[in-house]
Amino acid sequence: MNILILGGGGREHSLAWAVLQNPKCDRLVVAPGNAGIAAIAECANLDINDGGVVATFVEEECIDFVIVGPEAPLAAGVADRLRDAGVLVFGPSQAAAQLEASKAFTKAICDAANAPTAAYGHFTDAAAAKAYVTEQGAPIVVKADGLAAGKGVIIAETVAQAHAAIDDMFGGAFGGAGAEVVIEEFMQGEEASFFVLCDGTDVLPIGTAQDHKRVGEGDTGPNTGGMGAYSPAPVLTDDIAERALEEIIRPTMAEMAARGMPYQGVLYAGLMIENGAPRLVEYNVRFGDPECQVLMMRLGAQALDLMHAAAEGRLNTAQVNWAEDHAITVVMAAEGYPGDYAKGAVINGLDTLPATGSQMVFHAGTSARDGKITASGGRVLNVTARGASLHEAADSAYAMIDAIDFPGGFCRRDIGWRALD
Ligand code: AMP
Ligand code: GLY
């Protein structure tokens, strides 16, 4: 099989690494890829949000299967364009991608499916939104409706903060994403991520994870794209996972099918767990980044078979071979991230690390220059390891970190603390 992966972050590096372990992969191209991906696969510099460009490449290069990494091409309808051309794709249609691209859409689906989630109001003008906040009181959560690169959610501690956030959103702080605003009840509990594959009809769980969104140790400081993750997430017990499937995910899938937009791809459910009961925080229509890195570390070669089965509508006969293992990924970021950060630092020591099936450095924001790897993004490396216990995996990942010389780079030393305690 000739395979094309769309994307160029740590998530796509881990997808490429897993796919390449499967003998069914004859040729792998990643677009646009990055310096780490270029060391294991062909990279092609394409505009991956342009369905026509991707479809032409697929035809010219005789690609049999396309795996879409990030949400932007999905929300832009790239999977539809490819399917119209008869190409097998892993990833939802533009209509189904609304589960991530519109918070109001997702809340309406939850209502129809009777899926437990935060109480909410949906507003198109500031005055009505503010009146709702005044009536509900704080803490309360203010969300831009559309895609805002993870920045469109404000947890307001006071009514005044919520009012200010509403003014910001309707004032255009998030562009078109904030033209509509969803205001939600603040949910208490512990968050975890649940990943399932969907083929339009059937659902197959492929793992749980927790990430660390805050930049600082002890989960302090500003939010980031994620400073590390681990899998499995002990808080998401088998019982709670089964409840999430029965009460939230399967009813969502049935509602999507009933609306003529069956969902195919990976569904990432962010759950809030309180007193043993899961409620939906949000859906994403793609793998999490860096959660994908720990899932791929655990799934390995079978990830390709599972994604292929989802794309072909064969999940009813697919099976996951579970190992009793744990994986962790620690993000090394550039000084200043998530604010303005330094670029261009030369990273040494990567070639001294063992390359095994249990230890891998996935590249997120790197470039290759004169045979050297340099930092070119905020999140730069995802140092990932697997072990029989989370402790073993963490020791292994931090040993790799200690061997990497990344001037100005930093990482959190406490990834996994909830599960390690
Ligand atoms: P997002 O940027 O959409 O990933 O959301 C950011 C984070 O905001 C989530 O991961 C939660 O930690 C938090 N969050 C979102 N909605 C709620 C809510 N209704 N109650 C509590 N926390 C929330
Ligand atoms: N790590 C969070 C996300 O991918 O949305």
Side-chain angles (χ1 to χ4, degrees):
M1 197 163 23
N2 294 337
I3 299 169
L4 171 66
I5 296 176
L6 301 184
R11 169 179 48 210
E12 289 76 21
H13 192 181
S14 71
L15 287 167
W17 175 82
V19 160
L20 281 168
Q21 292 170 37
N22 191 310
K24 292 191 190 94
C25 176
D26 296 309
R27 177 181 172 211
L28 176 65
V29 186
V30 185
N34 63 31
I37 296 171
I40 61 170
E42 289 172 60
C43 292
N45 200 7
L46 301 180
D47 177 358
I48 62 167
N49 296 318
D50 184 327
V53 166
V54 179
T56 303
F57 182 84
V58 161
E59 197 191 330
E60 286 173 0
E61 299 293 322
C62 304
I63 299 292
D64 305 299
F65 183 36
V66 179
I67 297 168
V68 186
E71 65 277 16
L74 296 167
V78 169
D80 307 69
R81 177 73 179 72
L82 292 171
R83 275 191 206 104
D84 287 347
V87 180
L88 189 66
V89 188
F90 178 78
S93 66
Q94 184 173 36
Q98 289 180 90
L99 283 179
E100 176 165 357
S102 167
K103 299 199 190 302
F105 175 85
T106 299
K107 295 305 266 188
I109 293 281
C110 286
D111 284 347
N114 214 4
T117 181
Y120 77 107
H122 170 218
F123 302 94
T124 51
D125 77 275
K130 286 184 182 171
Y132 180 78
V133 166
T134 305
E135 183 191 312
Q136 298 292 320
I140 197 156
V141 184
V142 181
K143 299 187 171 183
D145 177 67
L147 291 179
K151 298 185 180 75
V153 174
I154 307 290
I155 314 258
E157 307 287 344
T158 64
V159 168
Q161 274 174 15
H163 283 185
I166 290 167
D167 282 333
D168 278 354
M169 285 185 191
F170 284 114
F174 299 98
E180 298 183 24
V181 167
V182 168
I183 298 181
E184 275 185 15
E185 163 199 359
F186 176 77
M187 293 188 281
Q188 306 280 353
E190 186 170 340
E191 266 186 278
S193 306
F194 192 23
F195 294 87
V196 300
L197 297 185
C198 310
D199 65 5
T201 312
D202 286 295
V203 172
L204 183 71
I206 54 163
T208 64
Q210 264 178 320
D211 75 344
H212 294 268
K213 286 189 203 294
R214 304 298 194 95
V215 74
E217 281 165 16
D219 292 326
T220 55
N223 262 327
T224 70
M227 293 300 293
Y230 52 99
S231 172
V235 64
L236 237 173
T237 60
D238 290 349
D239 280 354
I240 297 175
E242 193 50 43
R243 273 187 76 166
L245 283 172
E246 282 315 308
E247 297 172 14
I248 302 173
I249 293 170
R250 287 202 184 97
T252 300
M253 292 298 104
E255 180 62 26
M256 295 295 285
R259 291 186 185 207
M261 43 180 97
Y263 187 94
Q264 185 264 88
V266 60
L267 185 70
Y268 156 178
L271 302 174
M272 189 70 82
I273 296 153
E274 191 187 22
N275 302 324
R279 287 204 282 171
L280 183 74
V281 179
E282 60 171 358
Y283 283 127
N284 293 301
V285 299
R286 50 170 174 85
F287 284 107
D289 188 346
E291 293 91 328
C292 187
Q293 289 81 317
V294 285
L295 294 177
M296 290 305 125
M297 184 48 79
R298 296 186 65 208
L299 290 170
Q302 64 179 319
L304 174 59
D305 299 317
L306 297 171
M307 292 188 283
H308 193 229
E312 289 194 328
R314 295 185 279 107
L315 282 181
N316 59 336
T317 57
Q319 266 190 3
V320 181
N321 292 315
W322 294 107
E324 295 289 321
D325 59 356
H326 297 254
I328 194 166
T329 186
V330 180
V331 172
M332 295 186 84
E335 194 169 2
Y337 177 79
D340 287 341
Y341 52 81
K343 280 190 190 170
V346 175
I347 301 168
N348 285 305
L350 292 171
D351 45 4
T352 67
L353 298 174
T356 70
S358 312
Q359 285 183 309
M360 186 64 198
V361 178
F362 297 118
H363 291 220
T366 62
S367 302
R369 213 193 318 125
D370 307 329
K372 297 205 176 303
I373 298 293
T374 62
S376 57
R379 291 190 294 172
V380 178
L381 299 172
N382 307 141
V383 181
T384 311
R386 190 159 60 107
S389 66
L390 187 60
H391 272 284
E392 196 182 305
D395 288 348
S396 164
Y398 282 110
M400 283 194 282
I401 286 189
D402 291 337
I404 297 172
D405 172 29
F406 173 3
F410 73 97
C411 69
R412 279 180 57 170
R413 284 271 161 189
D414 65 343
I415 299 303
W417 66 267
R418 271 201 181 79
L420 286 166
D421 271 356

